[in-house]
Amino acid sequence: MDDDSMEYPRKYCPGPDWCEDNELYDIGGLHPVVIGDSFRDGQYSVVHKLGYGGFSTVWLARDHRAERYVALKILSAAGSRCVNEIAIQRYIRALGMSFDDLSITKIIDRFSFRGPNGRHTCLVLEVAGPSLNFLDKHSLKLRPDSVRDLAAQVAGVVRKLHTNDIAIGDLSTDNILLKVKNLSSWSEEEIYQRFGEPEASEACPTREGESLSSHAPRYQYDHIHFGWCDLDVLEPNVTVADMNEAVYTGSNPALHSQAESSAANRVYAAPEWWFGVNQKHTKASDIFALACIFFELRTASPLLPAYAMTDGAEVIQLLLGEAPQEWKDLQNDRDEDQQVELLSHEECGSESLDIKLAAVGKWEPWHYMTPEQRKQHFFDTYDEEERNDPDKDINIERDSSTRPPPARLSDEEHHDLKDLLSRMLTYLPEERITIEEVLQHPWLNKRYDDLDDQTAPWICRYDRGFRYYNATEWYRAYVLNVDPDSGDKAENGGIWRLDEENPKFENGTFNWDVFYDSAEDIWYDAVESQEFESDAPEPEEADEEEEDPQESEEVMTDSDEEEFSVTKLLGLPVDSDDE
């Protein structure tokens, strides 16, 4: 047993990967919820789970008074002591801004109650769908013009907040949610038919024979996986969620927070945060994060890789080049453990924006393989010791599910997107363009006719595996062994079949060199012949029916309206108690 486990012994056996850490259920922690629980004198009853975070769980609930579905965000007892999101929304309302024109998840109601782990604040929010990061998790793709439409919507929200001196702070694809069509007419049975019934896992203590404490949940639930459901429940419209990191940036000193901001999601943190120049949320830091979101939506990959969570300064130097000299000089004045590692002149800029954009839509032999074939390749390539080596970061399930690349960038779109992102991704915050300039940029206002097929659905699933890539008749016949007359695929497929009857096996071993050469030949043959079929490997193609956007609206209500004041803005509101 290692030192950490001796110092912090687990009270509960670890739950499934799809639920929050059950160690968070303790005094000051999360509130244990059971499907069917009701709150606020029975007004809200829990129907399903929407998600969770380190400081809250979010539940789909029925509001029996208003006859609608709402999202209950139940904060941890410790996190309930300072809810900045309430103060920010109160400030927005005090300014006279219309929530009908501001796409943020609005607080419809709020209350507090006491549970076994303390007093919890519960925010009643409009129901929204999955965050934009679910696209990658569920192998979903967006039509290129839909990407730009959604990007413009997010930028529109940022503009309205920036105009009123509010910086969002925690701007990421995690906190941008697709809207769902109005669910209020659905019964609970229909909810379960569409989304499936909540999968429950019983919690159990680590010590055998010991009973669960009152602090622990009886069950933990899997949340709704929108990517596994019918996509017609989603709208091509977004709302920005979780304004708890938002800050006032105007000239009124009474409204300024004295606390130093943290990078809630470091993958989207601006250079000045990483270099220790300015660690407060600003409008300029929002612009940098917004550029990361634009890149991620269009390319289906993050601008700054996951290891930016710990080595962000290094990643930013690889992307943007050498840091300003004054930033370099600043490192000499910092404590050794706070100094940023400065890369060599040759390393800086080696993974530039231009290089990243040039790779968008590039097809590799790996993309032609089904997940099963990729898994087989892993087992053939790496022995058990290599597969279990944490330094190699080999995850067969994750890597074998790599989806095809997004739609290629035309020369025109490449030029426009590079120009926009270059203006947003700068070292010096004062050199970044404003949100007004972002919204006026051609990339958000053009239609690229060579890419924007209006007949394709705005969102659809990748059809994983070889069925998706049937570029030419020769390809279909040779690789997939599809009968050109009937269109049926024979049971004994072409080079993709991984069994010893496959002619690509030599002495009982599959010849991967031949496989890769064949895949390359297939691709180049398809490109040269230009005989793409309508459902062939153009990633901008789609398979689902088009949506009819229908916006659902909720009315912002508050049982205890009161006059706006600076004191109330900065403090926790006085809420009602449901004991």
Side-chain angles (χ1 to χ4, degrees), residues 342-575:
L342 299 174
L343 303 184
S344 68
H345 176 76
E346 292 73 25
E347 293 175 300
C348 290
S350 60
E351 297 179 12
S352 67
L353 180 62
D354 203 28
I355 292 173
K356 289 178 177 289
L357 290 177
V360 174
K362 182 180 180 182
W363 284 62
E364 303 289 350
W366 182 254
H367 292 121
Y368 292 88
M369 299 165 62
T370 66
E372 290 72 24
Q373 291 158 353
R374 293 172 184 170
K375 289 179 184 179
Q376 182 65 50
H377 181 48
F378 271 117
F379 282 105
D380 291 344
T381 304
Y382 302 104
D383 59 31
E384 184 176 0
E385 183 177 350
E386 290 176 308
R387 293 196 298 268
N388 295 325
D389 185 350
D391 293 334
K392 291 186 178 294
D393 190 29
I394 297 171
N395 185 318
I396 292 178
E397 291 299 325
R398 177 197 66 201
D399 296 337
S400 64
S401 299
T402 301
R403 69 187 193 182
R408 293 186 297 274
L409 292 166
S410 65
D411 291 343
E412 184 181 11
E413 188 185 9
H414 181 120
H415 172 273
D416 290 342
L417 183 56
K418 177 186 173 184
D419 181 73
L420 173 60
L421 296 183
S422 297
R423 295 167 184 262
M424 302 170 73
L425 299 167
T426 65
Y427 272 113
L428 299 178
E430 59 270 21
E431 292 183 356
R432 290 173 209 150
I433 60 176
T434 66
I435 191 61
E436 292 288 351
E437 293 172 297
V438 170
L439 281 163
Q440 293 168 6
H441 195 276
W443 187 72
L444 290 176
N445 295 283
K446 274 186 183 179
R447 292 295 177 206
Y448 300 92
D449 294 335
D450 53 339
L451 291 174
D452 298 341
D453 178 7
Q454 299 296 318
T455 64
W458 69 276
I459 185 173
C460 67
R461 290 183 175 87
Y462 283 101
D463 186 5
R464 289 184 179 177
F466 51 77
R467 289 185 298 113
Y468 185 81
Y469 317 115
N470 45 357
T472 65
E473 287 300 324
W474 171 82
Y475 168 72
R476 290 166 61 85
Y478 176 68
V479 180
L480 307 184
N481 201 15
V482 173
D483 188 315
D485 297 322
S486 67
D488 296 331
K489 188 178 82 69
E491 291 184 5
N492 297 323
I495 65 170
W496 307 102
R497 202 162 47 79
L498 299 180
D499 59 56
E500 295 194 11
E501 296 179 7
N502 190 311
K504 298 304 176 187
F505 268 85
E506 296 180 1
N507 300 322
T509 302
F510 191 76
N511 190 325
W512 284 100
D513 290 335
V514 174
F515 173 85
Y516 281 123
D517 290 343
S518 300
E520 282 194 59
D521 290 342
I522 293 163
W523 174 245
Y524 286 116
D525 177 80
V527 171
E528 290 173 5
S529 66
Q530 293 296 304
E531 294 177 1
F532 290 98
E533 296 182 5
S534 59
D535 60 345
E538 293 291 332
E540 64 267 26
E541 292 290 328
D543 307 340
E544 304 287 350
E545 296 181 2
E546 186 152 6
E547 304 283 358
D548 241 345
Q550 177 185 353
E551 201 162 326
S552 61
E553 298 184 358
E554 301 285 6
V555 178
M556 177 76 175
T557 62
D558 193 331
S559 58
D560 40 339
E561 289 284 337
E562 50 220 347
E563 185 178 350
F564 171 78
S565 72
V566 172
T567 301
K568 290 174 181 174
L569 169 65
L570 299 179
L572 183 66
V574 178
D575 297 324

Side-chain angles (χ1 to χ4, degrees), residues 180-484:
V180 295
K181 295 180 179 178
N182 191 356
L183 308 180
S184 296
S185 61
W186 294 8
S187 65
E188 290 188 20
E189 290 72 22
E190 289 174 303
I191 291 288
Y192 295 144
Q193 286 174 3
R194 286 269 192 161
F195 300 139
E197 296 193 18
E199 182 178 346
S201 172
E202 287 192 55
C204 61
T206 53
R207 295 183 180 179
E208 189 175 350
E210 190 176 274
S211 58
L212 282 174
S213 73
S214 60
H215 306 294
R218 286 163 45 202
Y219 303 101
Q220 288 179 277
Y221 297 94
D222 195 3
H223 56 85
I224 293 174
H225 294 275
F226 286 95
W228 299 345
C229 310
D230 291 336
L231 298 179
D232 61 1
V233 73
L234 302 177
E235 295 181 4
N237 298 297
V238 295
T239 182
V240 177
D242 196 352
M243 300 287 291
N244 211 46
E245 291 286 330
V247 296
Y248 173 77
T249 62
S251 58
N252 187 341
L255 298 180
H256 286 160
S257 171
Q258 300 302 312
E260 196 168 74
S261 303
S262 63
N265 191 325
R266 296 185 177 189
V267 175
Y268 301 85
E272 59 269 24
W273 189 90
W274 282 107
F275 280 80
V277 176
N278 182 5
Q279 297 196 315
K280 292 184 181 296
H281 299 318
T282 64
K283 295 178 184 179
S285 65
D286 277 355
I287 295 296
F288 189 93
L290 190 61
C292 295
I293 291 170
F294 287 176
F295 182 92
E296 189 171 339
L297 286 178
R298 183 59 184 88
T299 69
S301 60
L303 177 63
L304 305 179
Y307 73 91
M309 293 290 285
T310 54
D311 298 317
E314 175 187 335
V315 174
I316 286 172
Q317 291 176 81
L318 294 173
L319 176 69
L320 301 183
E322 292 188 69
Q325 188 59 49
E326 58 268 31
W327 287 21
K328 293 181 181 179
D329 295 340
L330 174 65
Q331 305 311 312
N332 298 326
D333 301 328
R334 307 183 76 192
D335 294 337
E336 186 175 347
D337 60 342
Q338 293 181 322
Q339 290 181 1
V340 168
E341 181 179 353
L342 299 174
L343 303 184
S344 68
H345 176 76
E346 292 73 25
E347 293 175 300
C348 290
S350 60
E351 297 179 12
S352 67
L353 180 62
D354 203 28
I355 292 173
K356 289 178 177 289
L357 290 177
V360 174
K362 182 180 180 182
W363 284 62
E364 303 289 350
W366 182 254
H367 292 121
Y368 292 88
M369 299 165 62
T370 66
E372 290 72 24
Q373 291 158 353
R374 293 172 184 170
K375 289 179 184 179
Q376 182 65 50
H377 181 48
F378 271 117
F379 282 105
D380 291 344
T381 304
Y382 302 104
D383 59 31
E384 184 176 0
E385 183 177 350
E386 290 176 308
R387 293 196 298 268
N388 295 325
D389 185 350
D391 293 334
K392 291 186 178 294
D393 190 29
I394 297 171
N395 185 318
I396 292 178
E397 291 299 325
R398 177 197 66 201
D399 296 337
S400 64
S401 299
T402 301
R403 69 187 193 182
R408 293 186 297 274
L409 292 166
S410 65
D411 291 343
E412 184 181 11
E413 188 185 9
H414 181 120
H415 172 273
D416 290 342
L417 183 56
K418 177 186 173 184
D419 181 73
L420 173 60
L421 296 183
S422 297
R423 295 167 184 262
M424 302 170 73
L425 299 167
T426 65
Y427 272 113
L428 299 178
E430 59 270 21
E431 292 183 356
R432 290 173 209 150
I433 60 176
T434 66
I435 191 61
E436 292 288 351
E437 293 172 297
V438 170
L439 281 163
Q440 293 168 6
H441 195 276
W443 187 72
L444 290 176
N445 295 283
K446 274 186 183 179
R447 292 295 177 206
Y448 300 92
D449 294 335
D450 53 339
L451 291 174
D452 298 341
D453 178 7
Q454 299 296 318
T455 64
W458 69 276
I459 185 173
C460 67
R461 290 183 175 87
Y462 283 101
D463 186 5
R464 289 184 179 177
F466 51 77
R467 289 185 298 113
Y468 185 81
Y469 317 115
N470 45 357
T472 65
E473 287 300 324
W474 171 82
Y475 168 72
R476 290 166 61 85
Y478 176 68
V479 180
L480 307 184
N481 201 15
V482 173
D483 188 315

Side-chain angles (χ1 to χ4, degrees), residues 132 135 142 145-156 176 178 235-238 294 297 444 458:
L132 289 181
L135 296 168
L142 297 172
D145 62 311
S146 295
V147 168
R148 297 192 301 277
D149 288 342
L150 295 179
Q153 289 180 42
V154 178
I176 300 172
L178 287 171
E235 295 181 4
N237 298 297
V238 295
F294 287 176
L297 286 178
L444 290 176
W458 69 276

